[in-house]
């Protein structure tokens, strides 16, 4: 391996820069050249490459977002686009690629790798934590901290005005942000996409139950893709069904994707970026580098994107019990 490319794709996440820095510096240590591909797969198709030396990644460890910029590429979904990308890769004499992103990124990587027999290693970069084969994706920890910081502030108003706040967090298809943020901020309940039952009905019964302790403030966390609807519609149902409560709805939105990565985020992103270069050099391909039980692990792309990890029902039960 003489030259590798690195790109970030899909939604940006805090810690992506730390991973890019680790890739560039590890490669430089081994005398491998690095090309930064701008704007994800679109940069491959449009030949948007920048030579990266060890100095190019100075002072980015602590920065949110991604210096490489990111996109969800429509062009890469077409064979024509992927052919163009392969031509550009060959012309630039790139021997392997490291892609940092989520399920869409790995789906594209898998197709490309099989079509053109080209080595690619993935790093899990998404705040959603919805990839199989890693306990934590790059960005998840920081996003959780952003959410609980925001909800702690919301809690002040909830407490001062005796209000119930319905807070929407990100997670179109996965409830991992809702789950851990819900525990971290003492939520009365969480609603999430993978749920098999209608948890809103149960929440209405609980909120109206005579035996329920009169609480000054209540927080309900709703993942944006929750089975029961988004925060606005959940708020409307609660307003109608729980007349005793003064209810407000807050959508946290993209503040969850930004900000300086937490320390653990920087540590894990550095470890994974370091390992990604080593694994490409050792001849590995088609795998996502993750961390399980604090150790580096490898998961084939096809398995990593399955999103089969279930929300831990014991943690859900715990949320109900701890909020009585
Ligand atoms: O995949 C990360 C994510 O933040 C999801 O949780 C969310 O549904 C989506 O991206 C939002 O994407 P966009 O920034 O394109 O609106």
């Amino acid at each position: 391996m003489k030259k590798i490319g690195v790109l970030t794709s899909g939604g940006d996440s805090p810690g992506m820069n730390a991973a890019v820095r680790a890739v560039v510096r590890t490669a430089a240590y081994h005398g491998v050249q690095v090309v930064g591909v701008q704007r994800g797969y679109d940069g491959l198709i449009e030949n948007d490459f920048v030579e990266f030396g060890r100095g190019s990644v100075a002072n980015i460890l602590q920065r949110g977002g991604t210096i490489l910029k990111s996109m969800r590429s429509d062009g890469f979904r077409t064979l024509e686009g992927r052919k163009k990308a392969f031509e550009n890769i060959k012309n630039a004499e790139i021997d392997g690629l490291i892609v940092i992103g989520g399920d869409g990124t790995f789906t594209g990587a898998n197709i490309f790798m099989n079509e053109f027999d080209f080595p690619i290693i993935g790093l899990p970069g998404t705040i959603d934590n919805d990839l199989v084969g890693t306990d934590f994706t790059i960005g998840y920890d920081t996003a959780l901290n952003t959410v609980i910081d925001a909800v702690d502030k919301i809690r002040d108003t909830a407490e001062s005005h005796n209000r119930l706040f319905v807070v929407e967090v990100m997670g179109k298809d996965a409830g991992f942000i809702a789950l851990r943020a819900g525990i971290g901020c003492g939520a009365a309940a969480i609603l999430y996409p993978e749920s098999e039952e209608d948890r809103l009905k149960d929440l209405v019964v609980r909120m109206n139950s005579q035996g329920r302790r009169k609480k000054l403030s209540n927080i309900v966390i709703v993942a944006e893709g929750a089975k029961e609807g988004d925060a606005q519609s959940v708020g409307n149902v609660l307003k109608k069904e729980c007349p005793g409560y003064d209810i407000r709805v807050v959508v946290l939105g993209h503040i969850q994707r930004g900000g300086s990565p937490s320390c653990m985020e920087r540590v894990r992103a550095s470890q994974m970026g370091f390992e990604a270069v080593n694994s490409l050099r050792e001849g590995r391909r088609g795998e996502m580098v993750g961390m399980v039980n604090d150790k580096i692990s490898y998961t084939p792309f096809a398995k990593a994107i399955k999103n089969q990890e279930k929300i831990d029902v014991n943690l859900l039960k715990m949320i109900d019990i701890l909020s009585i």
Side-chain angles (χ1 to χ4, degrees):
M1 263 293 135
K2 293 208 175 65
K3 201 192 237 189
I4 61 173
V6 59
L7 61 82
T8 51
S9 157
D12 65 336
S13 67
M16 278 182 161
N17 281 330
V20 171
R21 169 181 176 269
V23 166
V24 173
R25 296 259 164 101
T26 309
Y29 175 81
H30 292 293
V32 176
Q33 277 177 273
V34 180
V35 165
V37 180
Q38 307 277 317
R39 298 177 292 111
Y41 291 127
D42 269 17
L44 282 184
I45 297 171
E46 290 162 25
N47 209 12
D48 201 351
F49 300 160
V50 182
E51 297 287 334
F52 266 15
R54 61 192 75 187
S56 322
V57 289
N59 284 322
I60 64 166
L61 176 66
Q62 73 282 13
R63 278 168 56 191
T66 161
I67 60 161
L68 287 174
K69 303 195 180 292
S70 196
M71 281 205 59
R72 295 190 174 91
S73 169
D74 287 333
F76 205 67
R77 287 180 219 274
T78 66
L79 179 59
E80 199 195 338
R82 294 193 296 275
K83 275 186 181 157
K84 190 91 197 75
F86 186 63
E87 250 170 56
N88 290 333
I89 283 176
K90 285 285 119 191
N91 289 340
E93 297 179 328
I94 295 171
D95 306 310
L97 205 56
I98 294 173
V99 298
I100 308 171
D103 50 1
T105 307
F106 297 157
T107 304
N110 212 21
I111 296 171
F112 187 79
M113 193 187 67
N114 293 327
E115 274 172 353
F116 300 101
D117 188 23
F118 188 76
I120 307 182
I121 284 288
L123 291 180
T126 166
I127 64 165
D128 293 341
N129 208 44
D130 58 348
L131 294 166
V132 177
T134 190
D135 291 339
F136 299 97
T137 55
I138 297 167
Y140 179 55
D141 184 57
T142 306
L144 289 176
N145 285 310
T146 301
V147 172
I148 62 161
D149 183 52
V151 176
D152 287 350
K153 293 185 170 88
I154 291 168
R155 177 77 83 170
D156 289 344
T157 299
E159 190 83 9
S160 306
H161 289 265
N162 294 351
R163 280 179 184 163
L164 183 155
F165 273 84
V166 180
V167 181
E168 183 174 297
V169 297
M170 277 192 168
K172 218 171 30 259
D173 306 308
F176 298 107
I177 295 178
L179 178 70
R180 288 211 170 81
I183 296 170
C185 70
I190 69 153
L191 306 179
Y192 59 99
E194 308 91 320
S195 175
E196 275 155 18
E197 61 209 52
D198 188 338
R199 294 177 52 80
L200 182 52
K201 268 195 194 136
D202 173 65
L203 176 63
V204 167
V205 172
R206 278 203 289 133
M207 297 314 279
N208 289 332
S209 114
Q210 296 300 322
R212 188 174 166 81
R213 178 169 63 93
K214 186 90 190 113
K215 293 173 87 172
L216 292 182
S217 68
N218 287 283
I219 302 289
V220 173
I221 302 282
V222 180
E224 60 179 326
K227 184 182 154 66
E228 298 82 357
D230 62 9
Q232 198 57 59
S233 59
V234 166
N236 290 342
V237 171
L238 290 176
K239 279 178 192 167
K240 190 156 158 263
E241 303 290 336
C242 305
Y245 290 90
D246 186 10
I247 295 168
R248 295 290 187 281
V249 174
V250 175
V251 178
L252 293 184
H254 285 79
I255 64 162
Q256 295 162 90
R257 288 239 295 262
S260 182
S262 68
C263 180
M264 284 315 292
E265 208 82 88
R266 299 178 199 191
V267 173
R268 291 187 195 117
S270 300
Q271 284 179 274
M272 292 188 221
F274 175 77
E275 208 47 48
V277 175
N278 292 337
S279 48
L280 260 186
R281 293 183 71 238
E282 283 160 12
R284 299 190 85 116
R285 54 162 67 191
E287 292 171 302
M288 177 192 83
V289 174
M291 292 194 73
V292 175
N293 295 333
D294 234 11
K295 298 237 160 18
I296 290 291
S297 66
Y298 300 90
T299 308
F301 287 145
K303 187 171 175 206
I305 57 185
K306 281 255 154 60
N307 191 14
Q308 339 150 293
E309 305 280 1
K310 287 252 164 20
I311 292 286
D312 185 339
V313 284
N314 292 323
L315 291 181
L316 286 176
K317 178 109 188 84
M318 186 184 85
I319 291 178
D320 291 351
I321 292 173
L322 297 189
S323 71
I324 55 175

